[in-house]
Amino acid sequence: MDAVRWSLVVPAKRLGAAKTRLAPLTGGGPGLHADLVLALLADTVAAARDCPAVADVVVVTDDARAAATVRALGARTVPDEPDRGLNPALAHGALASGGGAVAALSSDLPALRPAELAAALAAAALAPRCFVADAAGTGTTLLTATGVPLDPRFGRDSAAAHAGAGAVPLDGDWPGLRRDVDTPADLAAAVRLGVGAATAALLPRVPRPAA
């Protein structure tokens, strides 16, 4: 049987409005804060593009700088035409991808490894809808669908919401895939795992996050 090739949908808010809980590190201003959000996105997209199971990466964004960055990494972009929040944006991106195997991937996974993503996607091919919970076990970093609608339910307690909607939880040794970055402590944990080139290059400008 041929291996499944996936279309990945990555949401990207306008840089200045994203990741507000990282403001204690960045000051929340338009400079460093936007640069950090963009670096997290760039490392996520770069890892996804390097994953052999991924055929296409579609970034849903209305931010011109984010769009230019991910296009340079080999992703394509679509505007957030619904403009009604994260889940409608992901559903729109999934339709725009045109793929039969579609996955929504968080945009803030700077420690993601292509091999981790490949292993999770291989496991996801065994059921119509699957998800990977974040490191805390309550959120979701990856939601997959093969031959059925994506039906994203991201937000508070999204792991329980996806499980309740019939998605199968996947369990594997994928620390980089599970480590999304919402807080300074999350960034510290990602740095300990080893972050991608864009985030690593920015770290000298970022005050050391609390462990």
Side-chain angles (χ1 to χ4, degrees), residues 43-192:
D43 285 335
T44 303
V45 170
R49 288 291 299 153
D50 285 343
C51 176
V54 174
D56 188 26
V57 177
V58 178
V59 178
V60 183
T61 188
D62 287 332
D63 189 283
R65 188 177 171 204
T69 295
V70 299
R71 286 181 195 136
L73 293 168
R76 60 189 177 101
T77 61
V78 295
D80 182 6
E81 292 175 351
D83 195 23
R84 289 185 283 110
L86 176 58
N87 290 315
L90 288 170
H92 169 63
L95 289 173
S97 76
V102 181
L105 182 69
S106 296
S107 63
D108 55 352
L109 302 169
L112 179 64
R113 304 292 192 266
E116 291 179 325
L117 182 57
L121 291 173
L126 301 179
R129 293 179 65 250
C130 300
F131 72 94
V132 174
D134 64 9
T138 57
T140 304
T141 60
L142 180 73
L143 174 69
T144 68
T146 54
V148 297
L150 185 63
D151 191 20
R153 302 186 181 212
F154 287 84
R156 181 181 289 275
D157 296 325
S158 64
H162 286 133
V168 175
L170 300 176
D171 189 21
D173 183 19
W174 309 316
L177 177 57
R178 297 185 188 279
R179 174 43 66 200
D180 55 346
V181 173
D182 290 315
T183 67
D186 293 339
L187 181 58
V191 169
R192 289 193 294 271

Side-chain angles (χ1 to χ4, degrees), residues 5-73:
R5 297 269 287 163
W6 295 81
S7 294
L8 261 60
V9 180
V10 180
K13 281 185 180 181
R14 293 190 179 277
L15 299 177
K19 298 296 166 189
T20 56
R21 285 186 284 171
L22 290 174
L25 289 181
T26 64
L32 178 58
H33 189 84
D35 289 350
L36 179 56
V37 173
L38 186 61
L40 301 177
L41 172 66
D43 285 335
T44 303
V45 170
R49 288 291 299 153
D50 285 343
C51 176
V54 174
D56 188 26
V57 177
V58 178
V59 178
V60 183
T61 188
D62 287 332
D63 189 283
R65 188 177 171 204
T69 295
V70 299
R71 286 181 195 136
L73 293 168

